[in-house]
Amino acid sequence: MTNTTVQESSRAGLALVLIALAVALAFRVPDLKLKPFHGDEANQAYKAGKILLETGVYTYDPIEHHGPTIYYLALPAAWLTTDGTFAGTVEATYRIVPVLFGAVIVLLLLPLRTALGNRATFIAALLTATSPAMVYYSRYYIQEMLLVFFAFGAIAAGWRYTQRPSLSAAIAGGLCIGLAHASKETCVLAFASYVGAGMCTVGWSRLRDGKGDTRADLNCIRARHAALCAIAAASVSVLFFSSFFTHWRGVLDSVLTYANYTNKAGSPHIHDKPWHYYLQMLLFTRNAPYPWFSEALILALGALGIRVALSAKRSHTPHANLLRFLAFYTLGMTAVYSIIPYKTPWCALNFLQPLIVMAGVGADALIRGLRLRAWRVGVSTLLALLAGQLAWQAYLACYVYHSDVRNPYVYGHTSSAIKRLEERLDQIAAVSPEGYDTLAGVLSPTRDYWPLPWYLRKFDRVGFWDTLPPEAGAPIYSAPIVIASSSIARELNAKLPGDYHSEMHALRPGVLLTVFIRTDLWEAFMATRVR
C-alpha cells in the first residue's frame, strides 16, 4: 500500500468516526430536561450545585457516595450558564457532563484503528452511538459513563504506547487510571480485568503461536515512563479526593471505602439480582405487548468478534494481541459484573462498551469472510438496517418511554407526574406574598423523598422531617406548603392548624405524596385561574 493510499484510508477512517460522533451527539443532546430527575441524579446534583457550586466546599463521603469527578466536571457548565446558585441550574447543567463523555468515547476508538481496521472501527463507533443503553445512560447524571470512558481511555493510551512509546501516552494512560479511580470505586474491577486479560493474552498467545513472544510487546515499557504514569494516576486521584488539597482525609477515605463495599457485597441487598440479569436485559425485554427492547445484535456480533479474536493466528491477523486482550477484557468484565449479586442496570455499560468494540470486529469478519461482492453488500445492508433498529429503540427509550417501566433501562425512576408538582409549587410561590421565601416542609418517615430537594431548589426555606414533632410550635405546622408521604398524611392533617387544601401527586410508581397548601394561598392561586 502506497503512502498516498495509507493517508487516504486514514482520512476516510477519521471521517467515518466523526460521522459516528455526530450521530452520538444527535441522540444524546436534545431536550435534556424531558426526563425527570432520578433520585440518584437529584442527589448528585444537590452535592454539585447546592454544596460545591454555592459554597466551594466538597468532602468525599466513603459510605453513601461515589467519586468526585462528576461534581467538579459540572462546574464549568454551571459557571457559564447560571447565576452561580443551585436554584439557577437546570437538568442540562448536569446531564451535559455524561452526554459529552458518552459521545466523545467514540473518539477513543481512533488510536485502535490500526488494529481494528476502518470498517470495524466505524461499526463499533456507530453501535456505540446508537446502543439504547449507551444513549440512555449518557443522559443520566451518574458516574457510570465517566468510569466507562476513563477505563477504555486507559486501554487506548496503553495500546498507543505499545505502538509508539512516548511520555505523552504514558501520562495519558496514568491520567485515565487516576480519573477512573476518582469517578467510581468499582474501577478496581476494570483494573483487575486489565491484569487478568493481560495474563490470559500471554498464555493464549503461547498456546496459539508457540513461543511466548507476546512478552516482547511489554519490553517497550520504559521505567521512567512507567513511573510517570503511576505519578500521573496518583496525582489526579489525590487532587480530586483531597478536594483540591483542602480535605486530605478524603484521600485516606478513598482507600478505606473498600471495607464498606466489601461489607455491602457480603450482605443481602434490595438491588441483588441473579447472574443473568444483565444479559437477559440486553438480549430481550418485553414488559408489555409493546414496545420490546433488544440489543441482541450487539451480543451476537460481540460473541463473533471474541471468537474471531481468540481463534486467529498471529501470522494472519495484525495486532492480534490487542484483539485478544480486548476479548479477554470483555469476557472478564462480563463475568465479574454477572457474578456480583448487587446489580443496577447502568452497571452493564462496563462490559457492554468493550463488547461493542468486539461487535465491530465480529461484523467486519462476517463481511470480510464473504467471497461474493453481492453477498457482502447484502449483509452490510442487513447490518445497517439492524443498526437502524437499535437507533429507533434508543429514540423510544430516551424520548418516548424515558420514565416508563416498560423501558428496561428505567430503574426506580421518578414519575413524569413530578413535573406537575413542580409546576404547582411555582404557581403557589407566584401568589404567595413571600414568593420563594415561603416555607416548604417535607415529611417522610422513611426519608424516601429524593428527588424532591431538586424540585424545591428555588425555595429558600425548606425543612425535612422524618417524624411529626410533638411540640405544636414546630415549624412544619406553620409551613404554608407541606409535602408528606401518603402513609403519614392523615396524621399530619389532624395536627395542621387552620385550613389546608390537599392533593395527591406521584413520586414514583407505587409512591404517592400528599401536598398540603394553606387555603389562603390556594384560593389566591384559584383566583388567577378564573381570569
Side-chain angles (χ1 to χ4, degrees), residues 15 63 77 139 152 155 170 218 253 270 281 290 309 315 327 330 362 368 432-434 456 459 465 475 488 523:
I63 304 299
R139 295 164 56 86
F152 191 62
I155 293 176
L218 303 178
D253 284 340
I270 59 172
M281 176 187 75
Y290 183 83
S315 58
T330 304
R368 191 158 32 85
S432 172
E434 297 173 294
L456 287 163
F459 285 79
W465 287 266
I488 201 170
E523 291 177 346

Side-chain angles (χ1 to χ4, degrees), residues 220-307:
C220 65
I221 300 176
R222 300 169 187 171
R224 185 169 69 93
H225 290 171
L228 289 172
C229 175
I231 291 172
S235 298
V236 73
S237 175
V238 168
L239 182 71
F240 279 99
F241 279 111
S242 70
S243 308
F244 286 75
F245 313 122
T246 61
H247 177 65
W248 289 101
R249 171 74 194 192
V251 180
L252 176 62
D253 284 340
S254 72
V255 178
L256 296 180
T257 187
Y258 288 102
N260 173 49
Y261 278 93
T262 302
N263 289 334
K264 281 186 177 179
S267 307
H269 200 279
I270 59 172
H271 298 296
D272 287 356
K273 297 175 182 64
W275 68 269
H276 51 78
Y277 168 76
Y278 293 130
L279 295 176
Q280 183 175 329
M281 176 187 75
L282 294 171
L283 184 63
F284 186 76
T285 298
R286 189 176 71 171
N287 294 327
Y290 183 83
W292 53 265
F293 293 86
S294 173
E295 303 204 34
L297 174 66
I298 292 174
L299 294 179
L301 291 176
L304 177 60
I306 291 172
R307 181 180 179 279

Side-chain angles (χ1 to χ4, degrees), residues 17-70:
V17 171
L18 291 179
I19 290 172
L21 174 62
V23 173
L25 289 170
F27 271 95
R28 287 158 174 78
V29 171
D31 208 357
L32 290 175
K33 69 175 186 300
L34 177 65
K35 180 175 58 181
F37 254 169
H38 186 281
D40 288 355
E41 290 185 282
N43 195 304
Q44 310 267 37
Y46 187 89
K47 289 181 74 70
K50 186 66 177 177
I51 299 176
L52 182 56
L53 176 64
E54 291 194 356
T55 69
V57 175
Y58 166 80
T59 54
Y60 172 61
D61 177 357
I63 304 299
E64 294 294 339
H65 293 89
H66 299 304
T69 54
I70 198 168

Side-chain angles (χ1 to χ4, degrees), residues 149-155 157 171-181 191 236:
F149 179 93
F150 292 127
F152 191 62
I155 293 176
I171 291 178
L175 291 176
C176 284
I177 290 172
L179 288 167
H181 179 235
F191 298 164
V236 73

Side-chain angles (χ1 to χ4, degrees), residues 91-145:
E91 287 86 347
T93 309
Y94 305 98
R95 285 176 171 164
I96 193 64
V97 175
V99 160
L100 293 178
F101 279 91
V104 175
I105 196 171
V106 302
L107 297 183
L108 294 179
L109 292 165
L110 287 173
L112 278 59
R113 196 171 28 145
T114 54
L116 302 178
N118 279 342
R119 183 162 51 200
T121 301
F122 174 62
I123 293 172
L126 197 59
L127 292 176
T128 302
T130 57
S131 157
M134 292 291 288
V135 177
Y136 189 83
Y137 292 119
S138 291
R139 295 164 56 86
Y140 225 75
Y141 187 59
I142 56 175
Q143 284 87 351
E144 216 65 41
M145 190 54 69

